[in-house]
């Protein structure tokens, strides 16, 4: 349990105060936070809430969407929020194609340029920009960075303490080069998130994640690869599924903990 972290999106409808209290009571040492519920509760209040509960904020999601208008100010706010919450890792979902564009290569160059612009500000705040590749089915509208290799091609231009990558099992399990890329990532692994791939995918596909052990992913093998690359940090369970979200928060946390212990360590 010492590496287990509960990403609050796994229990999307559980209020922040309750999920923090629930994690603390269950002996969960870490929590992954999302900006929207933190902002709704109040940034400074949220930072005190988590700190007083003795929890580590293992990541903040999300910055990025660099192909959208106004990305600069939004990402500067995200860096500041991560620093106030006391987390080093700001997860970046890079954004899809610009409106009306089919130029995926150009969109990826925009992502690299944006990270170069933000990197000095992140370094000054003590925050690492953690590039998360998403499954290729999200390329058009959500994330043009579709493989761990693509994320590393950008991250390797920067100090590993400033720009890293997220290894999310749901998004990268299918890639036949993933184990080589995890080894390549080494100290650039900023976060390790676990969810299973279940079929059939629901309409809209975003909510197609399962708890560890429910689907197709070799979770333990991926965890062993991340460990072998030198990552010793938290392991976040991050699952988006409507049926799971419909359950009471304490039940979701208990199910996530049980599934994690059975299929990841």
């Amino acid at each position: 349990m010492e590496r287990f972290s509960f990403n609050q999106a796994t229990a999307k409808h559980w209020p922040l105060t309750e999920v923090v209290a629930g994690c603390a009571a269950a002996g969960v040492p870490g929590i992954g936070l999302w900006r929207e519920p933190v902002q709704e509760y109040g940034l400074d209040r949220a930072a005190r809430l988590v700190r007083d509960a003795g929890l580590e904020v293992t990541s903040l999601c999300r910055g990025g969407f660099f192909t959208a208008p106004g990305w600069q100010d939004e990402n500067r706010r995200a860096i500041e929020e991560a620093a106030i919450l006391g987390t080093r890792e700001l997860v970046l979902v890079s954004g899809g194609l610009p409106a009306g564009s089919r130029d995926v290569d150009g969109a990826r160059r925009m992502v690299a340029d944006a990270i170069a612009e933000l990197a000095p500000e992140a370094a000054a705040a003590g925050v690492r920009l953690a590039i998360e590749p998403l499954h290729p089915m999200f390329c058009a509208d959500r994330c043009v960075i579709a493989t761990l290799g693509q994320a590393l091609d950008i991250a390797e231009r920067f100090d590993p303490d400033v720009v890293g990558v997220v290894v999310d099992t749901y998004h990268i399990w299918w890639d036949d080069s993933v184990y080589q890329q995890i080894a390549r990532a080494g100290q650039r692994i900023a976060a390790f998130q676990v969810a299973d791939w279940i079929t059939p995918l629901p309409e809209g596909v975003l909510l197609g994640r399962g708890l560890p052990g429910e689907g197709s992913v070799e979770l333990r093998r991926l965890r062993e690869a991340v460990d072998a690359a030198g990552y010793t940090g938290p392991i976040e369970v991050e699952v988006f599924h409507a049926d799971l979200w419909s359950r009471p928060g304490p039940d979701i946390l208990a199910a996530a903990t049980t599934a994690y212990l059975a299929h990841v360590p």
Side-chain angles (χ1 to χ4, degrees), residues 76-123:
R76 291 186 179 107
R77 282 191 290 270
I79 290 169
E80 180 182 9
E81 290 164 11
I84 290 172
L85 290 167
T87 183
R88 184 186 178 197
E89 315 300 352
L90 175 63
V91 176
L92 302 181
V93 175
S94 299
L97 293 171
S101 173
R102 294 182 174 87
D103 184 4
V104 68
D105 293 331
R108 289 182 180 132
R109 288 193 294 271
M110 291 173 65
V111 171
D113 291 344
I115 291 172
E117 184 173 334
L118 292 172
E121 298 180 43

Side-chain angles (χ1 to χ4, degrees), residues 205-253:
V205 304
L206 186 62
L207 306 187
R209 297 179 178 223
L211 288 171
E214 292 183 342
S216 310
V217 182
E218 292 183 290
L219 295 169
R220 186 166 287 113
R221 182 183 176 195
L222 286 162
R223 194 270 304 156
E224 289 170 349
V226 167
D227 286 357
Y231 181 76
T232 59
I235 302 172
E236 288 187 13
V237 173
E238 184 190 55
V239 177
F240 311 153
H241 199 283
D243 290 346
L244 188 65
W245 286 347
S246 70
R247 297 164 60 179
D251 291 356
I252 300 172
L253 176 59

Side-chain angles (χ1 to χ4, degrees), residues 32-47:
L33 295 178
W34 281 65
R35 294 181 63 208
E36 293 82 359
V38 166
Q39 291 168 352
E40 182 178 346
Y41 185 74
L43 177 61
D44 292 332
R45 290 179 68 209

